[in-house]
Amino acid sequence: MSLRTGLLGCVVLTAIAVPFFASVMSLIGSFMASSVAVVLPCLFALRICRHQLSRLDAAFAVALAVVGTVVGVIGTYNAIQGILSKY
């Protein structure tokens, strides 16, 4: 419970110290969420199960990784523009 309270306190202090905290969280979220939730699982599946996947499954995993990368890049670009517009 103390770890959770300390972590929440750090987040609150960071939110107070950084005037554009929402934009920073948007940057982190768009970069990390797309890579962790979409791109990396597809790449890991291709790497680990490459001999067991059919060509269709492998093509689907590659296509999904490409789409996830494109969406992540677009989200990251928009978040960076949001941060730069604050200056």
Side-chain angles (χ1 to χ4, degrees), residues 1-80:
M1 185 161 167
S2 62
L3 179 65
R4 193 177 345 177
T5 304
L7 184 62
L8 182 63
C10 289
V11 170
V12 168
L13 290 175
T14 304
I16 292 170
V18 178
F20 46 87
F21 183 69
S23 298
V24 172
M25 291 306 295
S26 174
L27 174 66
I28 293 169
S30 65
F31 179 71
M32 295 302 292
S34 66
S35 63
V36 169
V38 179
V39 177
L40 291 178
C42 292
L43 296 179
F44 292 156
L46 286 171
R47 178 73 177 162
I48 294 170
C49 304
R50 66 179 165 248
H51 300 296
Q52 300 167 349
L53 293 176
S54 67
R55 288 189 186 268
L56 182 62
D57 289 337
F60 183 70
V62 169
L64 196 57
V66 168
V67 168
T69 301
V70 169
V71 169
V73 167
I74 291 171
T76 303
Y77 177 75
N78 286 336
I80 290 172

